[in-house]
Amino acid sequence: MGVSSSIRKWWHSPPAYLRLRSSKWTIGITAFGACFTDGYLYGSIVPVLPFSLVERSGVSEDDVQFWLSMLLMVFGLFLGGGAPIAGWAADRGPRSTPFMFGLVLAFAATLLFCFASKPWVLILGRMLQGLSASVIYTAGLALVADAVDPKEIGAWMGFVFSGNTLGLLFSPFLAGIVYDYLGYYAVFIILFGVIAVDIVLRGFMIEKRTADKWLAMENKTYDDIPDEDTREPDVSSERDPLGAENDDVTQQSPPADERSSLLHSKPRQSRSWLGRLFPTIAVLASSPRLMVAVYGCFTHTMLLASIDSILPLFVKRTFEWTSTGAGVIFLTITCPSLFGGFFGALSDRYGSRPVCLTGLTTTTLNLALMGLVAHNALLDKILLCIFLLFVGVGLNLIFPSLAADLFYEVDVLAETHSETFGTGGAYAQAYSLLCLALGAGTSFGPIWAGLFYQMTNWPITMATLAGLTALPAVGVFFYTGGVANKEKQGGVEASESRV
């Protein structure tokens, strides 16, 4: 009995450092690291591919732009396609399980990229990378939403997404230099090191929902757990003090055929196929405020993917830069990401709508001005760096504010659709819609920018990107929330979701 009791104590004892491993800081830093890993793996290939496709894969110079756009498009398709499945799994079970599985996919994708010598192997690697990203953003952001205070969600989303932006835009700089001086395989040695750090972070973290179950058991005495052979049979049904009342309730319940009109009412019959197959997604997609946030995130990612696709080629043709210069230029748009938490906190303080509109305006104006850069002159190089810097500021104002507004809207919808959302909530599935937007933007951006840049010129391409960036401003102005917080005044909870 002593041995079995000791085994049960060990089995039921909480994990070591439970409170630290499940704290919002640990979960936030882990999600930041996961986003950084995804962005770094994705962005490290950007300055290398224009050269490795020719040198390693035998692609002609004229076909390089086609393969660059194809690789980015494939990533986006699988990012968006895997998001609904990842969101459903993260809401229906432990979020940490798909979160860890995403890292396995990222490792496999990196292996394929490392040893690929044919374009189709590179495409397969991008497919796995897209699936990995879909898991990271659905499960990872849901983990953060579970752990942080709703009043701080904007700051935390800004912090977490700054990891992706830093990885996405800092990696071309480092990868370009490493590729020039140390060669192709040296780039992937660094990538595997980044993955190793991510493994440690994800293994150390414990998700909030799991930790809450352990913390609820802390006050229980494990010595009181009875042995299997000494447990008394459950006779609660025989001695239920409310048994008589329960019998009365059962007797008063209407027969099945009297309730059938309620079970098969017209509203249920008129539900669309989406509502029948994916009821939570249908509820989320019916919200204009939420869909405006999703569309704004699509625009943000479309712009980033467009810049990734054509900027290295532009500086190579216009300034005659090598992969090092093509990587260094991305530092200008990366620097604002260092203040991602600050930009996110602005939406907590002033509301998502004014912050997002400021970001859209700043980005649109500087994209249009980037079209003025056309010559291999020092002034043009300086102006390009300045414009890219302000584009980076604008992008960091757009995404965290919209991601936070999406979170607020899910909370509002949960109050009226609690049965549809279930006990697991809808955060992961809401962020799966965001991932669909990321995937669509990643696919659409390179095609649009690459096509216009190849068929027209740099100024026209920048003008079209500026126009696409301005479009979400209308929806943001009418639907995006203001200061979203809840205060108790006189015992009544008042929600200021719109200002």
Side-chain angles (χ1 to χ4, degrees), residues 3-177:
V3 175
S4 62
S5 178
S6 299
I7 293 175
R8 285 197 305 275
K9 284 183 183 180
W10 173 80
W11 183 260
H12 291 283
S13 60
Y17 308 109
L18 176 62
R19 294 183 184 276
L20 173 64
R21 295 169 65 183
S22 62
S23 67
K24 64 180 182 181
W25 281 103
T26 299
I27 295 174
I29 290 172
T30 302
F32 172 91
C35 289
F36 177 83
T37 299
D38 174 68
Y40 194 90
L41 297 182
Y42 176 89
S44 291
I45 313 299
V46 171
V48 175
L49 279 177
F51 305 92
S52 65
L53 280 170
V54 176
E55 298 169 6
R56 287 175 56 85
S57 303
V59 175
S60 66
E61 190 72 32
D62 294 336
D63 294 332
V64 168
Q65 182 61 60
F66 167 79
W67 284 107
L68 288 176
S69 299
M70 182 65 66
L71 287 166
L72 292 173
M73 181 188 70
V74 166
F75 174 87
L77 289 175
F78 279 79
L79 168 61
I85 300 173
W88 179 86
D91 277 339
R92 292 298 179 267
R95 305 197 200 278
S96 55
T97 301
F99 194 50
M100 204 68 177
F101 180 67
L103 192 56
V104 176
L105 294 174
F107 180 78
T110 307
L111 277 178
L112 288 175
F113 269 111
C114 182
F115 298 107
S117 59
K118 300 295 182 180
W120 69 266
V121 181
L122 294 173
I123 288 179
L124 181 59
R126 277 298 197 204
M127 290 178 181
L128 294 180
Q129 207 171 45
L131 291 175
S132 170
S134 70
V135 175
I136 288 173
Y137 294 118
T138 52
L141 295 180
L143 284 167
V144 175
D146 289 338
V148 305
D149 190 311
K151 295 180 181 179
E152 302 174 344
I153 192 67
W156 279 102
M157 288 299 164
F159 171 71
V160 170
F161 275 109
S162 68
N164 173 259
T165 309
L166 282 174
L168 186 64
L169 300 176
F170 179 74
S171 54
F173 160 70
L174 183 58
I177 294 176

Side-chain angles (χ1 to χ4, degrees), residues 206-397:
I206 297 176
E207 67 173 289
K208 186 66 174 176
R209 297 194 300 184
T210 301
D212 288 342
K213 295 177 182 178
W214 283 112
L215 293 174
M217 298 172 60
E218 272 194 343
N219 295 329
K220 293 184 179 181
T221 305
Y222 297 108
D223 288 335
D224 294 338
I225 300 176
D227 293 331
E228 295 290 339
D229 55 350
T230 60
R231 290 179 182 169
E232 295 182 2
D234 185 9
V235 293
S236 57
S237 60
E238 299 178 6
R239 293 182 292 178
D240 184 6
L242 300 178
E245 297 179 15
N246 290 338
D247 291 341
D248 292 339
V249 172
T250 303
Q251 293 173 3
Q252 293 174 5
S253 299
D257 41 340
E258 289 182 23
R259 298 195 304 264
S260 61
S261 60
L262 298 176
L263 293 174
H264 303 284
S265 56
K266 289 185 179 179
R268 280 189 175 272
Q269 292 177 347
S270 62
R271 289 171 65 183
S272 66
W273 65 268
L274 180 64
R276 292 192 298 271
L277 295 177
F278 307 102
T280 301
I281 294 293
V283 171
L284 296 173
S286 66
S287 167
R289 179 182 180 184
L290 191 143
M291 296 312 295
V292 164
V294 169
Y295 177 58
C297 292
F298 160 80
T299 302
H300 170 278
T301 308
M302 177 272 299
L303 178 57
L304 270 180
S306 299
I307 292 174
D308 279 347
S309 176
I310 63 175
L311 184 61
L313 206 57
F314 172 74
V315 297
K316 179 184 177 182
R317 292 176 177 176
T318 306
F319 302 149
E320 299 179 354
W321 287 355
T322 64
S323 61
T324 300
V328 171
I329 192 67
F330 280 95
L331 282 179
T332 55
I333 200 172
T334 304
C335 290
S337 302
L338 295 171
F339 307 97
F342 168 75
F343 290 126
L346 289 178
S347 64
D348 291 332
R349 177 66 179 85
Y350 299 105
S352 298
R353 184 169 62 246
V355 173
C356 185
L357 287 174
T358 302
L360 289 170
T361 304
T362 303
T363 305
T364 300
L365 290 177
N366 284 277
L367 282 173
L369 291 173
M370 280 173 61
L372 301 176
V373 178
H375 305 288
N376 188 6
L378 179 61
L379 178 61
D380 285 49
K381 296 173 184 176
I382 294 174
L383 287 176
L384 179 62
C385 292
I386 293 174
F387 297 149
L388 283 172
L389 178 67
F390 280 101
V391 167
V393 171
L395 291 175
N396 278 275
L397 289 171

